[in-house]
């Protein structure tokens, strides 16, 4: 195939060497524009100088056009290489030099080894060359080639393996460098991010890749009223930093206007672009969204362009099980419907009991298996084996043949990691590796396994605060939060309380084989006066408990009352709404949770089983949270 391409390109098979090198000025410009790869490869190429000394071999680094940027290795072979122009500044693409490792690796995008007479041109048939491409860690695009070349007499079967391992090391260093640049870019813009309030904002790095977007910017209106989903965009080349002398930047896409762009500079260098989309270009339903919206980080996941449906009281089949008439909740469902049609990772945010898993199931939309794992209710050791599985003999008592984990069970479908904020810090790098490289190891095994799933994660914690406190990795946060959805608590949508209570009531009555009934006026009033710290889960538990109490002494009544101890503690356990502008009453999600636990324990007069029921969590979870916050039943009651 390579020779066919060469003949089609009219390459002269009698050619004796590569073309002449570019001028000194152009070569300096080339290296400047490829600075990221050269910086990452510098220590690795320096090691090659020592490794290949007196081996008769060279290691060369070329860019994506096939132009050699650096050469290291045996100095005597350097002289031989110069006689065929195998040196920096020379383009060794297939269309210029025929079949050769650098050009052919670029043509096929995978490792190649070209030995002796396999070269197309006469002048390089004395050589044996092995090469593979270097890919950018964020979008997988080819950015260069690593080549190991030498005269055929010095051929080593390890040359190709050396080229492949070197390319992998360069990619790893580029990944770390790129993450560090992105963190610096985020730090530069974060001070101004919140200052725009309701503006739709998106942040792109110097390569034109999306780094971060707030929720309003997830859909931008194009000319003619069409809508483009920002999460579908891997890269906008027109936003890349200017390149001197060689690759002119393409024009901006039609949907993006130049006056929306704000170049970001650092030490005189263009390091990224901030896009601020004016309110006039947003859909009417977007303009009414709350000012305090969650932010979204984007990495490499892409989703198809999707137009959102108008907000109405009816929802798609995937979300028909979520009962609401609240406008804010309907907007969240609208966003979730968009996400259900993509494969992007989603982070669900919201207090305990708001129904995050209900949204996860809706977003999953029956696309393959749905596998859920709660990261907060397991020990570290059990969480590892549940997530990744284990091999035979991994530990005493391990099942014969081993056991597959949740990652394997979710292949082709969705993995839902609930309470991901509770994941131990030392386990987080393993999850990050899984998400970035698509592979994992079973406990007790040394052979990697491939993973293929869509991630949906959920937490009640403020993960950005957890990152700041050193309890959650920043790189993992930005990897799981490709898109975020914040689910409003029940107390902010009072109109849904009676609606949900009625549904839970009829389900509970049906479960116990009892005829339909209704809530008493007193019961509805009590439910609507309560602030529901345990949200929808607590409401369901209260209704179930009330049904059981009414079954015991129903005596033919057609109305259901709320159990007495609920109304007695309602005022004490409720969460007062913050006054307008007083947004610092509860500085963090963790402190808010601690306050709720204290109130629930006091309202239950120290009965932890009852307190857990009020909070809508398991008693074991309540014990764990009290231990985390240093709370005790005696201390709470004594403190009043």
């Amino acid at each position: 195939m390579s020779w066919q391409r060469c003949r089609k390109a009219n390459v002269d098979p009698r050619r004796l060497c590569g073309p002449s090198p570019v001028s000194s000025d152009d070569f300096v410009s080339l290296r400047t524009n490829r600075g990221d790869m050269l910086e990452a490869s510098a220590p690795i190429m320096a090691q090659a100088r020592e490794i290949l000394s007196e081996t008769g071999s060279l290691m060369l680094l070329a860019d994506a056009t096939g132009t050699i940027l650096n050469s290291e290795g045996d100095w005597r072979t350097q002289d031989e290489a110069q006689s065929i122009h195998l040196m920096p500044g020379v383009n060794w693409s297939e269309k210029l030099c025929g079949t050769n490792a650098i050009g052919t690796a670029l043509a096929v995008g995978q490792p190649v080894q070209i030995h002796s007479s396999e070269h197309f041109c006469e002048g390089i048939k004395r050589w044996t060359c092995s090469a593979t491409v270097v890919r950018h860690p964020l979008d997988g695009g080819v950015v260069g080639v690593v080549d190991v070349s030498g005269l055929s007499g010095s051929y080593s079967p390890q040359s190709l393996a050396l080229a492949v391992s070197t390319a992998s090391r360069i990619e790893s260093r580029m990944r770390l460098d790129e993450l560090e640049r992105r963190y610096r870019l985020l730090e530069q813009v974060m001070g101004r991010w919140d200052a725009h309030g309701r503006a739709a904002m998106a942040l792109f790095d110097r390569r034109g890749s999306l780094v971060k977007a707030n929720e309003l910017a997830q859909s931008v209106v194009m000319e003619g009223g069409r809508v483009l989903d920002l999460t579908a965009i891997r890269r906008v080349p027109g936003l890349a930093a200017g390149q001197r002398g060689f690759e002119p930047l393409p024009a901006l896409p039609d949907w993006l206007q130049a006056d929306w762009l704000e170049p970001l500079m650092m030490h005189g260098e263009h390091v990224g672009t901030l896009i601020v989309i004016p309110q006039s270009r947003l859909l009417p339903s977007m303009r009414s969204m709350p000012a305090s919206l969650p932010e979204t980080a984007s990495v490499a996941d892409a989703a198809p362009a999707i137009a959102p449906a108008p907000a109405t009281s009816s929802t798609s089949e995937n979300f028909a099980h979520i009962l609401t008439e609240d406008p804010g909740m309907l907007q969240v469902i609208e966003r979730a419907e968009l996400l259900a049609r993509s494969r992007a990772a989603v982070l669900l945010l919201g207090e305990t009991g708001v129904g995050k898993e209900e949204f996860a199931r809706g977003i999953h939309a029956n696309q393959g298996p749905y596998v859920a794992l709660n990261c907060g209710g397991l020990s570290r050791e059990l969480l590892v084996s549940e997530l990744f599985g284990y091999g035979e003999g991994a530990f005493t008592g391990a099942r014969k043949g081993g056991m597959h984990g949740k990652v394997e069970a979710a292949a082709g479908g969705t993995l839902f990691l609930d309470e991901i904020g509770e994941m131990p810090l030392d386990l987080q790098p393993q999850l990050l590796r899984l998400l970035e490289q698509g592979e994992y190891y079973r406990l007790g095994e040394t052979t990697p396994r491939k993973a293929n799933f869509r991630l949906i994660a959920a937490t009640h914690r403020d993960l950005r605060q957890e990152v700041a406190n050193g309890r959650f990795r920043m790189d993992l946060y930005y990897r799981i939060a490709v898109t975020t959805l914040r689910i409003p608590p029940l107390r902010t949508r009072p109109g849904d309380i009676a609606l949900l209570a009625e549904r839970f009531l009829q389900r509970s009555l049906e479960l116990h084989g009892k005829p339909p009934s209704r809530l008493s006026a007193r019961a509805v009033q009590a439910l609507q006066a309560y602030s529901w710290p345990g949200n929808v889960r607590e409401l369901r538990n209260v209704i179930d408990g009330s049904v059981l109490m009414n079954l015991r002494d129903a005596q033919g009544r057609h109305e259901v009352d709320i159990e007495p101890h609920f109304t007695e503690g309602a005022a004490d356990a409720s969460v007062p709404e913050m006054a307008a502008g007083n947004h610092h009453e509860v500085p963090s999600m963790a402190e808010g949770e601690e306050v709720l636990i204290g109130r629930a324990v006091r309202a239950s007069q120290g009965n932890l089983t009852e307190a857990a029921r009020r909070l809508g969590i398991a008693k074991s979870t309540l014990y764990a949270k009290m231990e985390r916050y240093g709370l005790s039943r005696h201390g709470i009651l004594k403190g009043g």
Side-chain angles (χ1 to χ4, degrees):
M1 289 294 294
S2 176
W3 279 35
Q4 291 177 9
R5 290 193 297 268
C6 295
R7 292 190 181 100
K8 188 175 182 179
N10 296 317
V11 179
D12 185 358
R14 296 168 297 178
R15 186 170 191 130
L16 299 178
C17 63
S20 298
V22 299
S23 68
S24 297
D25 289 344
D26 286 346
F27 184 62
V28 170
S29 183
L30 264 178
R31 287 181 58 89
T32 300
N33 290 334
R34 309 297 185 264
D36 293 354
M37 182 174 65
L38 286 171
E39 181 181 349
S41 68
I44 301 169
M45 294 294 290
Q47 290 177 1
R49 185 188 314 143
E50 304 298 327
I51 295 172
L52 298 178
S53 178
E54 300 184 7
T55 65
S57 298
L58 301 175
M59 180 175 287
L60 304 113
L61 181 67
D63 67 8
T65 70
T67 302
I68 298 173
L69 303 176
N70 195 8
S71 175
E72 297 286 359
D74 187 87
W75 63 273
R76 287 167 297 189
T77 310
Q78 296 267 15
D79 295 338
E80 289 282 354
Q82 288 183 7
S83 68
I84 61 167
H85 292 180
L86 188 64
M87 60 186 188
V90 179
N91 188 310
W92 276 78
S93 62
E94 266 193 354
K95 66 180 181 180
L96 293 178
C97 299
T99 303
N100 73 91
I102 293 175
T104 303
L106 284 170
V108 300
Q110 59 187 30
V112 298
Q113 189 166 64
I114 310 297
H115 181 58
S116 192
S117 60
E118 293 174 348
H119 289 91
F120 185 78
C121 294
E122 186 65 32
I124 54 178
K125 290 184 181 290
R126 297 184 303 132
W127 290 75
T128 293
C129 311
S130 305
T132 191
V133 295
V134 177
R135 297 186 179 275
H136 195 276
L138 294 184
D139 57 24
V142 174
V143 294
V145 181
V146 172
D147 172 86
V148 178
S149 292
L151 294 170
S152 299
S154 63
Y155 163 75
S156 169
Q158 281 78 43
S159 295
L160 184 58
L162 177 60
V164 170
S165 64
T166 300
S168 178
R169 292 174 63 195
I170 293 173
E171 290 170 352
S172 295
R173 288 187 64 91
M174 288 180 67
R175 179 182 295 108
L176 293 174
D177 292 346
E178 192 65 42
L179 284 173
E180 185 177 349
R181 291 189 194 98
R182 286 189 160 211
Y183 297 154
R184 288 202 300 265
L185 186 60
L186 285 165
E187 288 174 357
Q188 180 179 355
V189 79
M190 283 308 292
R192 300 154 55 210
W193 192 263
D194 294 331
H196 287 266
R198 287 182 158 187
M201 303 178 69
L203 176 64
F204 287 78
D205 67 13
R206 58 181 176 171
R207 299 183 73 250
S209 297
L210 181 64
V211 175
K212 184 180 183 68
N214 68 5
E215 188 153 336
L216 282 176
Q218 286 308 293
S219 298
V220 273
V221 179
M222 296 174 62
E223 293 180 7
R226 294 173 294 164
V227 176
L228 184 69
D229 185 10
L230 267 183
T231 59
I233 303 171
R234 286 180 181 269
R235 190 167 177 240
V236 180
L239 296 180
Q243 303 203 22
R244 294 173 290 179
F246 284 88
E247 301 162 6
L249 291 175
L252 293 174
D254 294 339
W255 61 269
L256 187 56
Q257 297 185 13
D259 59 354
W260 298 355
L261 311 183
E262 181 181 340
L264 299 174
M265 309 299 291
M266 188 178 294
H267 306 301
E269 180 186 359
H270 181 187
V271 295
T273 303
L274 183 65
I275 296 177
V276 182
I277 305 169
Q279 286 276 317
S280 60
R281 295 305 300 268
L282 300 178
L283 291 174
S285 62
M286 294 177 185
R287 295 176 200 155
S288 63
M289 285 185 177
S292 57
L293 289 167
E295 288 130 9
T296 289
S298 178
V299 279
D301 289 306
I306 303 167
T312 66
S313 60
S314 62
T315 59
S316 72
E317 183 179 349
N318 296 334
F319 297 92
H321 60 291
I322 300 178
L323 188 63
T324 183
E325 292 180 350
D326 181 73
M329 189 69 156
L330 288 171
Q331 287 184 346
V332 176
I333 293 175
E334 178 184 317
R335 284 275 299 128
E337 288 173 340
L338 286 176
L339 296 173
R341 305 175 217 171
S342 77
R343 294 287 293 174
V346 180
L347 177 63
L348 302 174
L349 303 171
E351 296 177 5
T352 298
V354 294
K356 295 187 284 293
E357 184 160 6
E358 298 299 318
F359 272 87
R361 289 185 180 276
I363 294 170
H364 166 62
N366 296 318
Q367 299 175 15
Y370 173 87
V371 179
L373 178 63
N374 190 312
C375 301
L378 302 172
S379 66
R380 183 198 180 281
E381 293 72 19
L382 189 54
L383 183 57
V384 170
S385 62
E386 282 289 316
L387 189 60
F388 300 113
Y390 57 80
E392 183 172 354
F395 51 84
T396 302
R399 182 184 303 175
K400 185 176 181 181
M403 184 188 78
H404 67 257
K406 295 296 192 289
V407 170
E408 193 170 343
T414 298
L415 176 63
F416 175 55
L417 295 182
D418 198 7
E419 299 297 354
I420 195 169
E422 314 300 318
M423 178 172 284
L425 189 61
D426 62 340
L427 183 54
Q428 294 174 23
Q430 296 184 49
L431 178 59
L432 181 63
R433 173 188 172 86
L434 168 68
L435 298 176
E436 290 195 338
Q437 301 184 14
E439 63 180 30
Y440 66 98
Y441 293 86
R442 278 186 175 183
L443 189 65
E445 291 186 348
T446 58
T447 302
R449 295 172 179 262
K450 294 296 181 182
N452 174 30
F453 62 87
R454 180 202 189 152
L455 177 69
I456 301 177
T459 182
H460 69 279
R461 294 188 176 278
D462 182 347
L463 287 189
R464 284 177 292 179
Q465 187 62 44
E466 294 294 293
V467 170
N469 293 338
R471 291 192 293 263
F472 202 85
R473 291 178 62 104
M474 180 183 288
D475 47 6
L476 178 58
Y477 169 69
Y478 284 115
R479 189 62 183 80
I480 65 175
V482 175
T483 305
T484 59
L485 278 181
R486 186 175 295 278
I487 304 169
L490 184 58
R491 63 179 173 275
T492 66
R493 42 192 180 101
D496 284 348
I497 294 174
L499 196 67
L500 290 166
E502 185 63 30
R503 169 182 279 188
F504 295 149
L505 174 64
Q506 301 312 321
R507 283 183 178 177
S508 187
L509 289 170
E510 182 180 354
L511 177 65
H512 292 94
K514 297 300 178 181
S517 183
R518 65 178 182 271
L519 289 166
S520 68
R522 171 183 172 279
V524 173
Q525 184 179 8
L527 293 173
Q528 292 179 331
Y530 187 54
S531 291
W532 300 107
N535 290 288
V536 177
R537 182 185 297 149
E538 184 181 7
L539 174 60
R540 184 180 62 241
N541 291 344
V542 166
I543 297 298
D544 287 343
S546 298
V547 168
L548 290 173
M549 294 292 291
N550 278 262
L551 287 176
R552 187 177 62 187
D553 54 358
Q555 298 178 348
R557 288 185 299 178
H558 299 289
E559 289 188 339
V560 174
D561 283 323
I562 296 300
E563 51 185 312
H565 67 265
F566 167 78
T567 55
E568 288 169 4
D572 201 18
S574 63
V575 181
E577 293 184 5
M578 296 181 187
N582 186 17
H583 299 299
H584 299 289
E585 184 174 333
V586 179
S588 70
M589 189 78 76
E591 185 171 339
E593 186 176 64
E594 183 178 345
V595 170
L596 290 176
I597 290 172
R599 287 173 176 165
V601 172
R602 284 193 295 273
S604 304
Q605 298 179 342
N607 185 328
L608 296 186
T609 300
E610 171 61 19
R613 189 196 63 76
R614 288 176 178 276
L615 293 170
I617 60 178
K619 186 176 179 181
S620 60
T621 303
L622 176 60
Y623 281 134
K625 291 180 182 296
M626 289 177 67
E627 183 179 355
R628 180 185 304 123
Y629 298 129
L631 300 175
S632 69
R633 175 167 42 193
H634 177 72
I636 292 173
L637 295 176
K638 185 178 179 181

